[in-house]
Amino acid sequence: VVNHQPLSVSHTHSPATQQPVPVSIGSQSNTTMTPKAPAAAAEVAVEESGPAAGNSPYQLRRKSLLPKRTASSTAGASTSTTEPFGHRAKRARVSGKSHDLPAAPAEQYLQQKLPDEVVLKIFSYLLEQDLCQTACVCKRFSQLANDPILWKRLYMEVFEYTRPMMHPEPGKFYQVSPEEHDHPNPWKDSFQQLYKGAHVKPGFAEHFYSNPGRYKGRENMLYYDTIEDALGGVQEAHFEGLIFVHSGIYTDEWIYIESPITMIGAAPGKVSDKVVIENTRDSTFVFMEGSEDAYVGYMTIRFNPDDKSAQHHNAHHCLEITVNCSPNIDHCIIRSTCTVGSAVCVSGQGACPSIKHCNISDCENVGLYITDHAQGIYEDNEISNNALAGIWVKNHGNPIIRRNHIHHGRDVGVFTFDHGMGYFESCNIHRNRIAGFEVKAYANPTVVRCEIHHGQTGGIYVHEKGRGQFIENKIYANNFAGVWITSNSDPTIRGNAIFNGNQGGVYIFGDGRGLIEGNDIHGNALAGIQIRTNSCPIVRHNKIHDGQHGGIYVHEKGQGVIEENEVYSNTLAGVWVTTGSTPVLRRNRIHSGKQVGVYFYDNGHGVLEDNDIYNHMYSGVQIRTGSNPKIRRNKIWGGQNGGILVYNSGLENCRSKFAPFVKITISQTHIYFCDYLNEHSKVI
């Protein structure tokens, strides 16, 4: 040190590409000084405090010296040549009393005057345990030993992550940006949280165990070459069950999990892309009873069989979750190239996983399949471009599915059937080849606040006695109807915005039923609501407006109760009733249409009562070609071509105590005929 005799020290650790470093601090090694070392260090201290101090090559960042001790206070200082370098002298017992001994000059120089850059360089050769012990020497060492750069190097050497992976509680992992984290040293925080794990790092275990000197202080770390070996270590209680799977492709390992282990990918950059686990013969991961609270995260999981269409692969999946287990699957990429079965299968009573932030895409079969009373929570997943449905729910499966992005499927987005249930909330479902959401065969899901749009056919398709509650969704820009209801199905469609469809808004046909209530239906290319072929829904409290066609179109023996709706500003008639249909229209406001208010034609019948019909470009009501509705207690006013127009053999079946009368108005060759008005009706 500065033209003086060098210190002789033991060597703890240095990178394989560098020479041993001449200073090491920590509990793992002791420093032995040469006999001349104290004197040399003392001379350095004298020089630094004298007139020549300004010329020292170590005038960098230096803390101010503590007040010098007097000669009398240092008279009893130990001169032992075996005193550990970098440790304050211990109390010496003299005459039965203990006295504080001063710091040796060399120790004082190291702790107080050696520049930060030099100390940090020395510390960079220490492992984590030595670094923690060094931080206990003094306040200055504590600050320098917690330098984030030191801990980042150690951290990446062990875990490979380029951003700290925080693990605040069991089953919870997330990466943070060091610059935005609340704690000044997230690398050290994460190191402490992850320290007790085992590592699967093919080829590294032999190197680790054959170089104990190089990795002194890491004796508690375990390394394995395969995942199966690591799982065996859990069974034999060699460690607590935290497994880090490092970068690489792991093929055809039998991964059956029946204990609450935690397995997480460990790699630089985007972790899940660098850690790939695949199987070509059997399910890649199988969770069995006993795996409650197991965790698998940050990896790619693939099922990639050689024979992709073999029927026995119906029972093989990327993830298979069976009865009475509830693992956590987090930040995984899940792919299956098999054309049968599904990528993820959750089956059986008590199967209740948590699958979050995963990507289930580009599979040649179903993405996520939930059946046989299985449940679970599925949140914030990306489910796209699967050959069959993005999600199947069947046979009393009852999942909670929130904030998933389900799109560009080559089939339907979500398919619930055979008594499937489930709660779907705030999902974005769009651009699927068939319907965004299909309900069939007594399925009864609840779909709340989702966006279902740009479907290549319809938005929601309920058929073959399907049910379901669709509440406060946005359903728009679908190629066919926003909602289809048919074949004795009976869903509830409430509080939705159904708009800008390339065909109709709600289409009920083939003995369809259902409650259509409180929706805002507007801007569709065809009728806002269409009812046909013996369908009989309840339509009430809706706003049906600004359609490019009519508001409500009832035809081909359509029925239903249509009450307390507001129908306005549609391009064609507000309500059309035709071809043997018999709806009941009651207490509606039908106004401001660009043609007729209510139009009965071609044997359209039904009841029109207590409605307010006004301000249409044509007449308020038109009746023609064999139609015979019952009209009573309506207010019909403001029509630019009259109140009620009956022509071409139209009939108006009204009871009145007034004698029949005929009023003929000739204007531009139009004839308006009003006959048998009810005493409560008003025609203005």
Side-chain angles (χ1 to χ4, degrees), residues 330-366:
D330 183 34
H331 283 93
C332 288
I333 298 172
I334 301 170
R335 301 279 187 270
S336 174
T337 61
C338 186
T339 58
V340 296
S342 62
V344 179
C345 180
V346 184
S347 174
Q349 191 78 42
C352 190
S354 172
I355 299 181
K356 299 181 180 180
H357 306 108
C358 290
N359 187 319
I360 308 172
S361 301
D362 303 310
C363 300
E364 297 303 320
N365 47 24
V366 175

Side-chain angles (χ1 to χ4, degrees), residues 622-636:
Q622 279 194 25
I623 304 168
R624 58 170 289 192
T625 53
S627 298
N628 187 19
K630 296 179 180 178
I631 302 176
R632 53 179 175 254
R633 296 190 304 275
N634 301 282
K635 293 181 180 179
I636 306 171

Side-chain angles (χ1 to χ4, degrees), residues 377-543:
I377 297 175
Y378 309 82
E379 294 180 337
D380 302 299
N381 301 291
E382 183 85 9
I383 303 174
S384 66
N385 196 35
N386 296 293
L388 299 179
I391 299 176
W392 272 15
V393 183
K394 179 184 177 183
N395 195 20
H396 302 283
N398 192 16
I400 296 173
I401 298 179
R402 293 192 185 100
R403 298 184 303 277
N404 293 277
H405 189 194
I406 305 165
H407 62 100
H408 288 95
R410 288 169 273 169
D411 197 88
V412 67
V414 179
F415 185 24
T416 59
F417 62 108
D418 291 352
H419 299 278
M421 297 182 289
Y423 179 80
F424 298 78
E425 181 182 5
S426 300
C427 296
N428 188 2
I429 305 171
H430 65 96
R431 291 180 171 86
N432 296 284
R433 190 178 68 84
I434 307 180
F437 207 111
E438 183 175 351
V439 182
K440 176 183 176 182
Y442 300 102
N444 189 19
T446 299
V447 183
V448 179
R449 291 184 292 278
C450 294
E451 290 194 28
I452 304 171
H453 59 101
H454 290 94
Q456 295 183 32
T457 55
I460 297 170
Y461 182 29
V462 187
H463 62 117
E464 297 183 32
K465 300 183 179 179
R467 299 182 64 193
Q469 292 79 44
F470 297 87
I471 302 170
E472 297 179 5
N473 303 284
K474 290 184 178 179
I475 305 165
Y476 60 94
N478 295 285
N479 278 350
F480 294 170
V483 180
W484 293 26
I485 303 170
T486 185
S487 51
N488 296 296
S489 297
D490 191 16
T492 296
I493 313 294
R494 178 183 292 126
N496 303 279
I498 305 171
F499 59 97
N500 293 350
N502 293 334
Q503 290 192 9
V506 180
Y507 182 26
I508 308 161
F509 65 103
D511 297 293
R513 302 289 186 269
L515 173 62
I516 318 299
E517 182 177 45
N519 303 284
D520 187 3
I521 304 171
H522 62 92
N524 297 286
L526 298 182
I529 296 178
Q530 184 177 170
I531 304 170
R532 59 173 288 206
T533 52
N534 299 307
S535 296
C536 188
I538 298 173
V539 179
R540 66 188 180 202
H541 304 145
N542 301 282
K543 289 185 177 181

